[in-house]
Amino acid sequence: MFSRPSVLIFDVDGTLADTERDGHRVAFNLAFRDHGLDWDWSPELYGQLLKVTGGKERIIHFLNNYLPSFQTPELEKFVAQLHAAKTKHYMALLAAGRIPLRAGVKRLLQEAREAGLRLAIATTTTPVNVTGLLENSLAPDAVSWFEVIGAGDVVPAKKPAPDIFHYVLKEMNVNADDCIVFEDSANGLLAAQAAGLKTIVTISDYSKDDNFDGALLVVDSLGEPEAPCRSLSGVPCGEPYINLPLLHRLCNA
Ligand code: XBP
Ligand code: MG
C-alpha cells in the first residue's frame, strides 16, 4: 500500500456541506433584522460578497462597497457584535439539522479513518461553526476524528492567503507532499496551492464558475457508489467516485 497521502485536509463551507446560501446567508439576514437593519443579502448579492472570506470581513466589505454612507461609532465593535449574533443563528440552523453533508463526505472520511489516514480541517469559518456542523451533521463524536481543526481568526490572514494551511501543516507536523486538500472555491484552491498542497476541488453552487487551474482534479462531488462523481477538469477520475485508491494514484503519479 502506498504511504501517500497520509493526511487529508478538508475545507468546510462548500466542501463538507453546502452551507452558504441556506445557512450562513440566512443567518446574516436574521442578525441584520435583530439589529434593526434593513439589509437583505439576496442569494445573488451573497454570491458576490462570498469573494471575500470571513464573515466579519464580508460585512465590512459590504459596507465599504454597498453602503459607504453607513456610519456607526466603534465600527469594529459593531461588526463583531453583528457577527456574533449571526453565528448564534447559524448554530441554531445546524442544531435544527438544516445543513446536511455533501455526497461522499461521510463515506470518504470513514474510509480514511479505517485505513489509518490522519484528518484535519482548514477553514475560514468560525470554530464553533465547525464543531456545530460536525456534531449535528456528521456524528456526535466527529470532532475527535480530526487531529487539527484550523479555523477562523486563528491565523492573521484568511484564504486566499495560505496561513490556515501553514497552520495545519505545522500543527500536524507533516509535509505538504504527504497531504491532499479538498476545497470548493478559487480562494481555497489559491490558499492551498500557495502552501504547496495538492488539491481536489468539489465545485459548489456558488463556486461553479471559479477558476480552478492547477487543481489535481475538479469534480461535481466526491460521489457515492450509487451516485458516481463527474470529472469537470478534463482529467478522468478513473474511479466512479473519489476513494483511497484514486487518492494514492493521484498522490504518487
Ligand atoms: C467560507 C467562509 C466563511 C463563511 C462564513 O469558509 O469564507 O467566512 O462564509 O463563516 P471556508 P463565518 O470555505 O474556508 O470553510 O461568518 O464564521 O466567517
Ligand atoms: Mg469553502
Side-chain angles (χ1 to χ4, degrees), residues 11-15 20 159 183-185 188:
D11 164 56
V12 174
D13 295 302
T15 300
E20 296 290 0
K159 300 172 185 175
E183 266 284 355
D184 73 298
S185 69

Side-chain angles (χ1 to χ4, degrees), residues 52-131:
V52 174
T53 62
K56 295 188 288 298
E57 295 82 356
R58 193 166 301 143
I59 293 170
I60 292 169
H61 170 77
F62 167 71
L63 292 175
N64 291 339
N65 292 272
Y66 295 82
L67 286 179
S69 57
F70 179 82
Q71 298 286 330
T72 184
E74 296 183 292
L75 178 66
E76 204 168 318
K77 189 171 166 212
F78 166 77
V79 168
Q81 284 170 344
L82 199 49
H83 188 252
K86 172 262 174 183
T87 299
K88 279 203 184 80
H89 282 297
Y90 182 71
M91 292 294 284
L93 292 172
L94 290 172
R98 298 270 297 275
I99 304 181
L101 295 179
R102 291 191 63 181
V105 168
K106 186 163 188 173
R107 171 191 57 75
L108 182 59
L109 287 170
Q110 286 174 323
E111 277 179 29
R113 291 181 76 217
E114 282 153 22
L117 274 68
R118 300 163 68 193
L119 301 176
I121 278 176
T123 175
T124 306
T125 198
T126 304
V128 286
N129 294 346
V130 184
T131 49

Side-chain angles (χ1 to χ4, degrees), residues 5-68:
S6 56
V7 178
L8 303 186
I9 304 173
F10 290 84
D11 164 56
V12 174
D13 295 302
T15 300
L16 293 186
D18 275 322
T19 58
E20 296 290 0
R21 193 194 58 196
D22 300 333
H24 289 301
R25 183 186 67 87
V26 169
F28 277 111
N29 287 333
L30 289 170
F32 301 154
R33 185 203 59 189
D34 291 353
H35 284 69
L37 300 164
D38 65 353
W39 310 347
D40 176 54
W41 286 1
S42 68
E44 296 69 30
L45 171 59
Y46 192 67
Q48 294 307 310
L49 298 176
L50 262 179
K51 292 181 179 23
V52 174
T53 62
K56 295 188 288 298
E57 295 82 356
R58 193 166 301 143
I59 293 170
I60 292 169
H61 170 77
F62 167 71
L63 292 175
N64 291 339
N65 292 272
Y66 295 82
L67 286 179

Side-chain angles (χ1 to χ4, degrees), residues 9 165-176 179 195 197:
I9 304 173
F165 287 106
H166 286 147
Y167 171 85
V168 168
L169 289 172
K170 182 168 175 287
E171 292 295 309
M172 296 283 280
N173 189 25
V174 69
N175 293 322
C179 308
L197 287 154

Side-chain angles (χ1 to χ4, degrees), residues 1 8 10 16 101-120 134 137-146 182 222-226 241-245 247-248:
M1 177 72 94
L8 303 186
F10 290 84
L16 293 186
L101 295 179
R102 291 191 63 181
V105 168
K106 186 163 188 173
R107 171 191 57 75
L108 182 59
L109 287 170
Q110 286 174 323
E111 277 179 29
R113 291 181 76 217
E114 282 153 22
L117 274 68
R118 300 163 68 193
L119 301 176
L134 295 178
S137 303
L138 179 52
D141 69 342
V143 171
S144 67
W145 298 12
F146 299 86
F182 295 87
L222 294 175
E224 297 283 13
E226 67 280 2
Y241 49 87
I242 306 299
N243 57 26
L244 296 190
L247 299 186
H248 288 313

